[in-house]
Amino acid sequence: MLCYGEGLLSSLTALLVAVLAFSRSPALACLLPAVLYLALHLFSLQPAAPQSAQRVLRPRGAAARIAHRGGAHDAPENTLAAIRQAAENGATGVELDLEFTADGVPILMHDETVDRTTDGSGRLSELTFDEVRKLNPAAKHRLWSKFQGEKVPTLREAVVESMRHNLIIYFDVKGHASQAVDALKQVYLEFPRLYNSSVVCSFMPDVVYKMRQADGNVVTALTYRPWQLSHFGDGTPRFGSSWQLRLYMLLDVALDWSLHSFLWRLCGVSAFLIQKNFVSQDYVRYWASKGIQVVAWTVNTFAEKSYYERVLECSYITDSLVEDCEPHY
């Protein structure tokens, strides 16, 4: 982990010292942290009720096994078949990616394009639901021959299928904050059971903040991977230019500090979803002291799963419930 300390007090103290060093003004050094503290106090959102968060994040009081994109190694990702397969393989829940077609239909899709997972091509923002519905989301999966006839599902279809199998749902929102919040509000309105069986999570704090504003009963979580702005999930730099890469690495440090210092409090989250390589017993204890649950991703070997369940007692997201596999980025 880049940086995490004793929380808000240490952050404000550091800010006071920095302002004093640069401005040489004790008044300004005291005023700025005070204004920020007051703003944080005024605009911070309360998290969901602890009982609801506990039911969602640790059902039956134990670490949860969440199938990443429905279990992308075991079945075509973000499909109804994946949800059914996850339930059959013993998953506690499923993580599903929310995206939108050009005509505003909420569907399950991880990428902004359909190229990687289907037999089609193009950006979702340029494809209507009818066009997306004609595509085969199993076309490029390693077990494609076992999953004939699959269609890209709507958000509602995925919710109904997940509830049929009593699975916890992690709604992973990729963007379109206002549009996503509106779609999720309708789903929670139609299926109130989701308040005790789902969590809305995102890498984007504005999504989580708007969801908490829209419905304070929804359990929410921030998702994070250190160096996410400057590097892809496999560690490859996002930029060929060295100055641009260094700039975004500096932004990564700022994001890390912000998330661990005040954004979690501002957004009123109940959980922190963190890439597995940065999880430790100290890290789990750090968040537990703040009433926040840690959920690790993507935990793909039996040895890792045993460690998370028995030592860390920490829920995790995995690409496969049946065998070791490489992570699906």
Side-chain angles (χ1 to χ4, degrees):
M1 192 55 48
L2 300 181
C3 53
Y4 67 93
E6 295 304 317
L8 184 61
L9 181 60
S10 60
S11 300
L12 291 175
T13 301
L15 179 61
L16 186 151
V17 172
V19 174
L20 181 60
F22 283 102
S23 69
R24 306 283 181 169
S25 169
L28 181 60
C30 293
L31 180 61
L32 184 57
V35 170
L36 291 176
Y37 179 83
L38 181 60
L40 183 62
H41 179 74
L42 290 174
F43 294 105
S44 290
L45 303 175
Q46 290 297 311
Q51 301 92 327
S52 295
Q54 185 74 7
R55 280 192 291 266
V56 172
L57 299 167
R58 292 185 63 84
R60 298 180 292 279
R65 301 180 301 278
I66 308 300
H68 187 218
R69 306 177 197 169
H73 183 75
D74 303 331
E77 67 178 58
N78 285 310
T79 62
L80 301 185
I83 295 171
R84 290 190 291 269
Q85 191 67 53
E88 182 180 328
N89 291 343
T92 312
V94 288
E95 182 259 7
L96 305 172
D97 298 303
L98 175 59
E99 263 292 357
F100 293 87
T101 60
D103 46 347
V105 178
I107 62 168
L108 298 195
M109 184 74 65
H110 180 273
D111 300 353
E112 294 180 347
T113 69
V114 300
D115 300 53
R116 181 177 60 84
T117 56
T118 78
D119 54 352
S121 63
R123 300 182 65 82
L124 279 175
S125 60
E126 300 171 352
L127 297 170
T128 65
F129 176 67
D130 287 341
E131 291 172 321
V132 171
R133 195 70 156 180
K134 294 175 183 176
L135 303 178
N136 177 10
K140 296 179 181 178
H141 193 268
R142 66 188 189 96
L143 302 175
W144 63 269
S145 60
K146 290 178 56 179
F147 299 98
Q148 298 296 313
E150 282 300 306
K151 303 293 183 185
V152 175
T154 65
L155 172 63
R156 187 183 187 280
E157 288 171 341
V159 167
V160 170
E161 190 67 29
S162 299
M163 292 195 303
R164 183 177 293 131
H165 296 282
N166 295 314
L167 293 169
I168 301 294
I169 306 173
Y170 281 53
F171 295 112
D172 187 3
V173 182
K174 296 303 178 187
H176 320 286
S178 297
Q179 193 176 17
V181 168
D182 288 342
L184 288 168
K185 279 173 59 179
Q186 291 303 315
V187 169
Y188 278 92
L189 184 64
E190 183 176 359
F191 304 106
R193 171 179 161 188
L194 289 173
Y195 286 109
N196 291 312
S197 61
S198 69
V199 54
V200 175
C201 50
S202 180
F203 280 94
M204 305 173 69
D206 65 316
V207 170
V208 177
Y209 192 86
K210 288 182 178 180
M211 191 71 242
R212 296 288 311 138
Q213 280 185 312
D215 192 334
N217 293 316
V218 174
V219 178
T220 57
L222 281 166
T223 308
Y224 180 57
R225 173 179 59 79
W227 309 114
Q228 67 189 39
L229 300 178
S230 58
H231 292 75
F232 292 108
D234 61 359
T236 304
R238 291 183 183 272
F239 309 100
S241 167
S242 59
W243 72 263
Q244 195 172 14
L245 180 62
R246 290 191 181 95
L247 172 62
Y248 275 85
M249 289 180 71
L250 286 174
L251 292 176
D252 273 320
V253 174
L255 176 62
D256 185 282
W257 175 82
S258 300
L259 285 168
H260 289 86
S261 298
F262 65 88
L263 281 179
W264 65 272
R265 190 190 304 267
L266 182 70
C267 294
V269 299
S270 301
F272 205 67
L273 279 56
I274 179 75
Q275 206 274 337
K276 66 175 184 180
N277 294 343
F278 302 90
V279 179
S280 64
Q281 287 178 296
D282 286 342
Y283 191 69
V284 172
R285 282 194 291 263
Y286 168 79
W287 282 114
S289 69
K290 302 176 182 299
I292 305 293
Q293 302 262 1
V294 169
V295 181
W297 55 273
T298 310
V299 180
N300 281 353
T301 69
F302 285 114
E304 289 175 327
K305 293 171 186 176
S306 177
Y307 176 70
Y308 276 90
E309 291 178 4
R310 299 178 184 180
V311 178
L312 296 181
E313 297 182 339
C314 177
S315 297
Y316 59 83
I317 298 172
T318 180
D319 286 313
S320 177
L321 278 300
V322 297
E323 63 184 8
D324 291 359
C325 68
E326 292 298 315
H328 289 239
Y329 295 109

mmCIF file of all heavy atoms in Angstrom, residues 59-79:
data_model
loop_
_atom_site.group_PDB
_atom_site.id
_atom_site.type_symbol
_atom_site.label_atom_id
_atom_site.label_comp_id
_atom_site.label_asym_id
_atom_site.label_seq_id
_atom_site.Cartn_x
_atom_site.Cartn_y
_atom_site.Cartn_z
ATOM 1 N N PRO A 59 -22.311 -12.721 4.944
ATOM 2 C CA PRO A 59 -23.512 -13.533 5.166
ATOM 3 C C PRO A 59 -23.180 -14.779 5.985
ATOM 4 O O PRO A 59 -22.138 -15.395 5.789
ATOM 5 C CB PRO A 59 -23.958 -13.885 3.746
ATOM 6 C CG PRO A 59 -22.753 -13.696 2.893
ATOM 7 C CD PRO A 59 -21.962 -12.599 3.528
ATOM 8 N N ARG A 60 -24.050 -15.089 6.901
ATOM 9 C CA ARG A 60 -23.850 -16.215 7.822
ATOM 10 C C ARG A 60 -22.603 -16.035 8.686
ATOM 11 O O ARG A 60 -22.047 -16.996 9.213
ATOM 12 C CB ARG A 60 -23.803 -17.544 7.053
ATOM 13 C CG ARG A 60 -25.111 -17.855 6.317
ATOM 14 C CD ARG A 60 -25.048 -19.167 5.576
ATOM 15 N NE ARG A 60 -24.134 -19.144 4.442
ATOM 16 C CZ ARG A 60 -24.430 -18.643 3.251
ATOM 17 N NH1 ARG A 60 -25.636 -18.117 3.026
ATOM 18 N NH2 ARG A 60 -23.557 -18.679 2.275
ATOM 19 N N GLY A 61 -22.118 -14.793 8.780
ATOM 20 C CA GLY A 61 -21.009 -14.484 9.681
ATOM 21 C C GLY A 61 -19.665 -14.999 9.230
ATOM 22 O O GLY A 61 -18.719 -15.041 10.020
ATOM 23 N N ALA A 62 -19.535 -15.375 7.971
ATOM 24 C CA ALA A 62 -18.274 -15.937 7.482
ATOM 25 C C ALA A 62 -17.817 -15.196 6.234
ATOM 26 O O ALA A 62 -18.576 -14.442 5.613
ATOM 27 C CB ALA A 62 -18.448 -17.426 7.182
ATOM 28 N N ALA A 63 -16.564 -15.423 5.857
ATOM 29 C CA ALA A 63 -16.024 -14.817 4.645
ATOM 30 C C ALA A 63 -16.831 -15.273 3.436
ATOM 31 O O ALA A 63 -17.180 -16.452 3.314
ATOM 32 C CB ALA A 63 -14.558 -15.200 4.475
ATOM 33 N N ALA A 64 -17.122 -14.332 2.561
ATOM 34 C CA ALA A 64 -17.924 -14.631 1.368
ATOM 35 C C ALA A 64 -17.025 -14.917 0.168
ATOM 36 O O ALA A 64 -15.959 -14.328 0.026
ATOM 37 C CB ALA A 64 -18.856 -13.467 1.064
ATOM 38 N N ARG A 65 -17.482 -15.832 -0.692
ATOM 39 C CA ARG A 65 -16.785 -16.157 -1.932
ATOM 40 C C ARG A 65 -17.607 -15.567 -3.091
ATOM 41 O O ARG A 65 -18.693 -16.067 -3.404
ATOM 42 C CB ARG A 65 -16.649 -17.674 -2.095
ATOM 43 C CG ARG A 65 -15.892 -18.343 -0.956
ATOM 44 C CD ARG A 65 -15.778 -19.843 -1.159
ATOM 45 N NE ARG A 65 -17.090 -20.481 -1.259
ATOM 46 C CZ ARG A 65 -17.847 -20.822 -0.217
ATOM 47 N NH1 ARG A 65 -17.409 -20.580 1.015
ATOM 48 N NH2 ARG A 65 -19.009 -21.411 -0.400
ATOM 49 N N ILE A 66 -17.069 -14.526 -3.713
ATOM 50 C CA ILE A 66 -17.795 -13.785 -4.744
ATOM 51 C C ILE A 66 -17.206 -14.114 -6.121
ATOM 52 O O ILE A 66 -16.000 -13.976 -6.336
ATOM 53 C CB ILE A 66 -17.715 -12.268 -4.491
ATOM 54 C CG1 ILE A 66 -18.140 -11.939 -3.050
ATOM 55 C CG2 ILE A 66 -18.558 -11.516 -5.508
ATOM 56 C CD1 ILE A 66 -19.547 -12.360 -2.697
ATOM 57 N N ALA A 67 -18.051 -14.541 -7.040
ATOM 58 C CA ALA A 67 -17.613 -14.910 -8.392
ATOM 59 C C ALA A 67 -17.448 -13.648 -9.246
ATOM 60 O O ALA A 67 -18.416 -12.944 -9.531
ATOM 61 C CB ALA A 67 -18.618 -15.866 -9.025
ATOM 62 N N HIS A 68 -16.210 -13.381 -9.641
ATOM 63 C CA HIS A 68 -15.854 -12.187 -10.410
ATOM 64 C C HIS A 68 -16.477 -12.231 -11.805
ATOM 65 O O HIS A 68 -16.233 -13.152 -12.581
ATOM 66 C CB HIS A 68 -14.327 -12.122 -10.526
ATOM 67 C CG HIS A 68 -13.810 -10.873 -11.137
ATOM 68 N ND1 HIS A 68 -12.729 -10.858 -11.988
ATOM 69 C CD2 HIS A 68 -14.199 -9.576 -11.010
ATOM 70 C CE1 HIS A 68 -12.467 -9.624 -12.362
ATOM 71 N NE2 HIS A 68 -13.347 -8.824 -11.779
ATOM 72 N N ARG A 69 -17.320 -11.246 -12.110
ATOM 73 C CA ARG A 69 -18.069 -11.207 -13.369
ATOM 74 C C ARG A 69 -18.916 -12.463 -13.540
ATOM 75 O O ARG A 69 -19.165 -12.925 -14.657
ATOM 76 C CB ARG A 69 -17.130 -11.025 -14.566
ATOM 77 C CG ARG A 69 -16.218 -9.806 -14.430
ATOM 78 C CD ARG A 69 -15.253 -9.682 -15.598
ATOM 79 N NE ARG A 69 -14.162 -8.779 -15.271
ATOM 80 C CZ ARG A 69 -13.067 -8.624 -15.989
ATOM 81 N NH1 ARG A 69 -12.913 -9.318 -17.112
ATOM 82 N NH2 ARG A 69 -12.113 -7.792 -15.616
ATOM 83 N N GLY A 70 -19.308 -13.039 -12.426
ATOM 84 C CA GLY A 70 -20.067 -14.276 -12.431
ATOM 85 C C GLY A 70 -19.189 -15.515 -12.416
ATOM 86 O O GLY A 70 -19.692 -16.641 -12.383
ATOM 87 N N GLY A 71 -17.866 -15.319 -12.419
ATOM 88 C CA GLY A 71 -16.931 -16.444 -12.485
ATOM 89 C C GLY A 71 -16.425 -16.599 -13.907
ATOM 90 O O GLY A 71 -16.754 -17.558 -14.607
ATOM 91 N N ALA A 72 -15.603 -15.632 -14.343
ATOM 92 C CA ALA A 72 -15.228 -15.513 -15.754
ATOM 93 C C ALA A 72 -14.403 -16.681 -16.275
ATOM 94 O O ALA A 72 -14.321 -16.900 -17.483
ATOM 95 C CB ALA A 72 -14.468 -14.203 -15.984
ATOM 96 N N HIS A 73 -13.776 -17.439 -15.380
ATOM 97 C CA HIS A 73 -13.006 -18.608 -15.817
ATOM 98 C C HIS A 73 -13.911 -19.814 -16.026
ATOM 99 O O HIS A 73 -13.649 -20.644 -16.898
ATOM 100 C CB HIS A 73 -11.940 -18.938 -14.763
ATOM 101 C CG HIS A 73 -11.042 -20.077 -15.150
ATOM 102 N ND1 HIS A 73 -10.035 -19.943 -16.085
ATOM 103 C CD2 HIS A 73 -10.997 -21.388 -14.730
ATOM 104 C CE1 HIS A 73 -9.401 -21.102 -16.220
ATOM 105 N NE2 HIS A 73 -9.968 -21.992 -15.413
ATOM 106 N N ASP A 74 -14.975 -19.897 -15.244
ATOM 107 C CA ASP A 74 -15.836 -21.079 -15.261
ATOM 108 C C ASP A 74 -16.970 -20.989 -16.272
ATOM 109 O O ASP A 74 -17.562 -22.011 -16.648
ATOM 110 C CB ASP A 74 -16.439 -21.305 -13.862
ATOM 111 C CG ASP A 74 -15.372 -21.438 -12.787
ATOM 112 O OD1 ASP A 74 -14.257 -21.890 -13.117
ATOM 113 O OD2 ASP A 74 -15.642 -21.083 -11.624
ATOM 114 N N ALA A 75 -17.305 -19.785 -16.708
ATOM 115 C CA ALA A 75 -18.407 -19.570 -17.651
ATOM 116 C C ALA A 75 -18.226 -18.202 -18.304
ATOM 117 O O ALA A 75 -17.482 -17.362 -17.795
ATOM 118 C CB ALA A 75 -19.751 -19.649 -16.932
ATOM 119 N N PRO A 76 -18.896 -17.961 -19.415
ATOM 120 C CA PRO A 76 -18.774 -16.642 -20.076
ATOM 121 C C PRO A 76 -19.154 -15.515 -19.118
ATOM 122 O O PRO A 76 -20.223 -15.545 -18.514
ATOM 123 C CB PRO A 76 -19.776 -16.740 -21.241
ATOM 124 C CG PRO A 76 -19.881 -18.203 -21.525
ATOM 125 C CD PRO A 76 -19.765 -18.873 -20.184
ATOM 126 N N GLU A 77 -18.282 -14.540 -18.991
ATOM 127 C CA GLU A 77 -18.461 -13.501 -17.979
ATOM 128 C C GLU A 77 -19.714 -12.672 -18.205
ATOM 129 O O GLU A 77 -20.148 -12.438 -19.337
ATOM 130 C CB GLU A 77 -17.247 -12.585 -17.932
ATOM 131 C CG GLU A 77 -17.035 -11.722 -19.165
ATOM 132 C CD GLU A 77 -15.831 -10.815 -19.021
ATOM 133 O OE1 GLU A 77 -14.714 -11.327 -18.800
ATOM 134 O OE2 GLU A 77 -16.000 -9.586 -19.161
ATOM 135 N N ASN A 78 -20.307 -12.247 -17.087
ATOM 136 C CA ASN A 78 -21.470 -11.355 -17.101
ATOM 137 C C ASN A 78 -22.640 -11.915 -17.923
ATOM 138 O O ASN A 78 -23.289 -11.188 -18.679
ATOM 139 C CB ASN A 78 -21.074 -9.970 -17.643
ATOM 140 C CG ASN A 78 -20.286 -9.160 -16.631
ATOM 141 O OD1 ASN A 78 -20.691 -9.029 -15.481
ATOM 142 N ND2 ASN A 78 -19.148 -8.633 -17.054
ATOM 143 N N THR A 79 -22.884 -13.204 -17.771
ATOM 144 C CA THR A 79 -24.033 -13.838 -18.421
ATOM 145 C C THR A 79 -24.888 -14.533 -17.369
ATOM 146 O O THR A 79 -24.441 -14.785 -16.242
ATOM 147 C CB THR A 79 -23.591 -14.887 -19.462
ATOM 148 O OG1 THR A 79 -22.851 -15.930 -18.798
ATOM 149 C CG2 THR A 79 -22.726 -14.266 -20.542
#
